[in-house]
């Protein structure tokens, strides 16, 4: 990258390095020169995504003071990082993090395998479950019964069917967020919603702040739009959002948009607290940034006693700062490509007007099916089935991974569809490649980061359970063993483009 897009303070970087070294230290550890230890620590923080790529590092003197090291040691560490391609510098602009050329591209993903091609392969690439029958069939039958009046029209509804817009608006109103149908646009899935929002608000070269890690397909959509991604590091485990860091990034980078998944974040599973949500909205409003809240995982609460915080848009009910994106694809079925946007009426009008040059509208039959589900109570029944499936699969997968891969580090989320695991010091990209050889497909960490971060992670979705979860973990353990013993051979993984 040509210049930095965010900054890491000396005190913050010192805390990250110190906590990392405390975890790494152990009996028999080989002592390295201080500059090498510091350089390795910063490099690992970048690869894990805890320090974003293109983040300006503190001056040598500042970091030396924060770490109680000599400036010479810090200078040597920075020089080592520059030589390895993990740091770039320019006189007058300082030094900022980078990733060497040739590292795995973060845009790669896993195409979902066609069902007829699965065979003996266990596919953990897609965080999607089979349809919650009988509700899919009932919804389609109900939609067909209601279709005739619409069949006598042109069938184009750029803002969505009025009945579904009203239904979605009423659902927000029932949550204590007064909403009019004029604040809703129905889209072709959440991806269609995000594509429309990015096209309207963020032209080529504009900055968008994103969580690091974040949802792989959205990151790729934004890259394709030519925007500049500003990664904001997530806190460890399920702690999620460091609001001091977010305030600094929004203030310093002034991004046009900020994209967050506050409800069972994909891929980490973190759930933002009510305080974090309020602070996020206030920070975005102060910076003049439009905050896009992705609620696609909202209804997948897996622990029944969990008290859910209020939606992000409840702190901006008029929709002047917050745009909300929802979807039926995760909560109901990935084949039901219905999404929606909630925003201020003028934003919705602009999105609808721009849609004439995109997809014109969303299929009527599928909109009728979702409306039928929500009107009849079938939605709640279907989501209940989905939660039970995901909870059972989560519990089975967690037990299997802990048994087969005890050195992998993760925290168990209370909802969502994904487990974010640190792979015991192994390369996530290598695990993805070797895993396919032994019959398990898994997306590697860099797919969810910006410019090669999170090399030491993999994402495991709650899509298999019982004996299949145990077998998936066993195959991952086999892949890990092949890598650790050097028996896996050279990397040959081809580029790919999709992660669900």
């Amino acid at each position: 990258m040509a210049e930095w897009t965010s900054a890491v303070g000396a005190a913050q970087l010192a805390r990250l390095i110190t906590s990392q070294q405390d975890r790494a230290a152990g009996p028999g550890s080989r002592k390295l020169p201080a500059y090498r230890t510091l350089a390795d620590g910063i490099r690992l923080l970048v690869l894990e995504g805890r320090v974003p790529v293109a983040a300006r590092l503190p001056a040598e003197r500042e970091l030396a003071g924060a770490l109680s090291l000599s400036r010479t040691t810090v200078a040597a560490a920075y020089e080592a990082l520059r030589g390895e391609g993990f740091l770039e510098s320019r006189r007058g602009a300082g030094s900022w993090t980078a990733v060497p050329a040739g590292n795995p591209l973060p845009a790669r993903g896993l195409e979902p395998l066609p069902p007829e091609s699965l065979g003996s392969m266990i596919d953990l690439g897609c965080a999607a479950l089979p349809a919650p029958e009988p509700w899919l069939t009932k919804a389609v039958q109900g939609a067909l019964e209601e279709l005739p009046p619409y069949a006598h029209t042109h069938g184009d509804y750029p803002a969505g069917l009025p009945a579904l817009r009203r239904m979605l608006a009423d659902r927000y109103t029932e949550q204590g967020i007064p909403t009019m149908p004029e604040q809703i646009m129905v889209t072709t899935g959440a991806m269609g919603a995000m594509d429309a929002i990015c096209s309207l608000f963020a032209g080529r070269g504009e900055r968008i702040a994103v969580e690091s890690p974040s949802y792989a397909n959205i990151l790729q959509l934004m890259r394709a739009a030519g925007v500049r991604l500003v990664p904001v590091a997530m806190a460890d485990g399920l702690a999620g959002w460091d609001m001091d860091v977010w305030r600094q990034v929004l203030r310093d980078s002034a991004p046009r948009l900020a994209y967050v998944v506050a409800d069972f974040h994909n891929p980490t599973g973190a759930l933002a607290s009510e305080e974090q949500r309020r602070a996020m909205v206030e920070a975005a409003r102060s910076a003049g940034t439009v905050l896009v809240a992705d609620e696609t995982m909202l209804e997948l609460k897996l622990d029944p006693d969990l008290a859910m915080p209020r939606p992000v848009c409840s702190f901006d009910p008029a929709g002047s700062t917050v745009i909300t994106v929802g979807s039926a694809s995760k909560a109901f079925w990935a084949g039901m490509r219905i999404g929606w946007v909630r925003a201020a009426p003028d934003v919705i009008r602009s999105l609808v007007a721009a849609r004439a040059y995109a997809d014109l509208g969303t299929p009527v039959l599928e909109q009728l099916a979702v409306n039928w589900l929500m009107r009849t109570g079938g939605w709640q029944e279907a989501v209940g089935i989905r939660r039970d499936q995901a909870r059972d699969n989560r519990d089975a997968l967690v037990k299997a991974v802990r048994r087969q891969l005890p050195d992998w580090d993760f925290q168990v989320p209370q909802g969502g569809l994904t487990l974010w695991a640190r792979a015991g010091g192994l390369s996530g990209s290598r695990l993805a490649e070797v895993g396919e050889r032994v019959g398990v497909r898994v997306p590697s960490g860099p797919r969810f980061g910006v410019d090669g971060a999170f090399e030491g992670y993999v994402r495991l979705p709650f899509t298999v359970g019982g004996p299949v979860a145990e077998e998936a973990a066993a195959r991952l353990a086999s892949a890990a063993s092949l890598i650790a013993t050097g028996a896996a051979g050279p990397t040959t993984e081809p580029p790919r483009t999709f992660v669900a």
Side-chain angles (χ1 to χ4, degrees):
M1 287 191 181
E3 59 184 28
W4 57 274
T5 57
S6 62
V8 181
Q12 178 192 0
L13 184 56
R15 284 196 303 272
L16 290 170
I17 291 170
T18 301
S19 66
Q20 178 191 75
Q21 291 171 346
D22 288 344
R23 287 198 310 269
S29 298
R30 184 167 64 94
K31 187 170 181 60
L32 297 173
Y35 85 91
R36 186 69 261 174
T37 300
L38 176 57
D40 288 348
I42 294 174
R43 175 178 55 81
L44 185 57
L45 288 171
V46 172
L47 289 174
E48 288 185 345
R50 298 175 67 202
V51 169
V53 174
R56 187 178 187 272
L57 295 187
E60 295 167 2
R61 189 185 303 278
E62 294 175 359
L63 186 57
L67 288 169
S68 299
L69 294 173
S70 71
R71 183 178 177 181
T72 302
T73 297
V74 176
Y78 278 17
E79 183 59 33
L81 290 168
R82 275 189 288 270
E84 296 162 3
F86 285 94
L87 200 68
E88 295 182 12
S89 303
R90 189 172 68 244
R91 187 178 297 277
S95 299
W96 57 92
T97 56
V99 170
N103 265 41
L105 293 176
R108 296 185 304 169
L110 288 173
E111 306 89 346
L113 284 174
E116 65 273 13
S117 302
L118 281 171
S120 60
M121 180 72 72
I122 299 176
D123 188 2
L124 298 182
C126 294
L129 289 162
E133 288 288 31
W135 293 105
L136 174 61
T137 298
K138 289 184 176 181
V140 172
Q141 290 172 342
L144 286 171
E145 293 175 0
E146 297 175 5
L147 182 62
Y150 296 93
H152 293 291
T153 73
H154 49 63
D156 287 336
Y157 297 88
L161 291 184
L164 182 55
R165 296 177 74 194
R166 189 177 309 110
M167 176 66 67
L168 293 167
D170 289 347
R171 284 169 61 85
Y172 282 106
T173 300
E174 289 167 5
Q175 297 178 66
I177 310 161
T179 303
M180 304 178 294
E182 291 79 9
Q183 290 179 263
I184 300 292
M185 180 177 84
V186 181
T187 62
T188 308
M191 290 294 289
M194 285 303 304
D195 185 40
I197 292 167
C198 289
S199 297
L200 180 63
F201 284 95
R204 185 167 295 274
E206 293 272 10
R207 291 178 174 178
I208 300 181
V210 295
E211 298 144 329
S212 183
S214 187
Y215 179 37
N217 283 344
I218 294 296
L219 295 181
Q220 179 58 12
L221 182 153
M222 292 175 179
R223 290 188 191 95
V227 304
R228 298 176 61 191
L229 297 178
V230 182
V232 187
M234 297 282 283
D236 277 342
L238 299 178
W241 297 260
D242 185 329
M243 289 315 305
D244 288 339
V245 175
W246 269 99
R247 290 187 191 94
Q248 180 179 342
V249 169
L250 295 182
R251 183 179 63 247
D252 294 348
S253 298
R256 187 71 182 91
L257 291 176
Y259 170 77
V260 298
V261 186
D263 299 285
F264 310 121
H265 175 259
N266 186 354
T268 68
L271 176 67
S273 68
E274 199 154 297
E275 293 74 18
Q276 288 172 324
R277 294 164 191 247
R278 179 184 288 105
M280 184 76 74
V281 174
E282 291 174 353
R285 185 180 291 120
S286 296
T289 297
V290 175
L291 180 63
V292 181
D294 185 334
E295 291 186 341
T296 53
M297 296 285 186
L298 171 65
E299 302 204 54
L300 293 174
K301 180 183 78 169
L302 304 186
D303 291 354
D305 58 347
L306 174 64
M308 289 292 291
R310 286 182 290 169
V312 175
C313 62
S314 67
F315 303 101
D316 179 52
S320 58
T321 296
V322 177
I323 296 178
T324 300
V325 171
S327 173
S329 297
K330 295 298 186 184
F332 184 74
W333 184 47
M336 187 68 76
R337 305 304 305 163
I338 297 295
W340 53 87
V341 176
R342 181 198 182 276
D346 62 320
V347 172
I348 294 298
R349 286 193 294 270
S350 296
L351 289 170
V352 171
R355 195 172 194 182
Y357 308 101
D359 63 356
L360 293 178
T362 301
V364 169
L365 189 63
E366 292 184 26
Q367 292 186 72
L368 288 172
V370 171
N371 189 62
W372 183 92
L373 283 166
M374 291 181 173
R375 189 184 73 248
T376 61
W379 179 266
Q380 288 78 8
E381 295 285 343
V383 170
I385 294 172
R386 170 67 73 244
R387 287 172 176 160
D388 290 342
Q389 290 174 321
R391 184 187 306 111
D392 291 345
N393 288 353
R394 177 197 65 179
D395 296 346
L397 185 65
V398 165
K399 290 178 181 177
V401 173
R402 283 177 171 164
R403 182 163 44 247
Q404 298 281 353
L405 295 152
D407 58 334
W408 283 27
D409 182 33
F410 58 86
Q411 292 188 30
V412 182
Q414 295 179 285
L417 287 172
T418 58
L419 189 72
W420 184 241
R422 193 195 306 261
L426 298 177
S427 160
S429 296
R430 289 287 279 148
L431 278 165
E433 180 213 347
V434 179
E436 287 207 43
R437 300 187 204 169
V438 299
V440 59
R441 304 179 92 222
V442 60
S444 62
R447 309 184 196 284
F448 305 90
V450 175
D451 294 323
F454 305 107
E455 184 55 62
Y457 289 81
V458 293
R459 190 194 73 172
L460 306 176
F462 308 146
T463 52
V464 296
V468 181
E470 187 69 33
E471 179 61 23
R475 294 184 187 186
L476 284 171
S478 176
S481 177
L482 288 171
I483 295 169
T485 60
T491 182
T492 58
E493 187 186 9
R496 304 164 195 260
T497 56
F498 183 91
V499 172

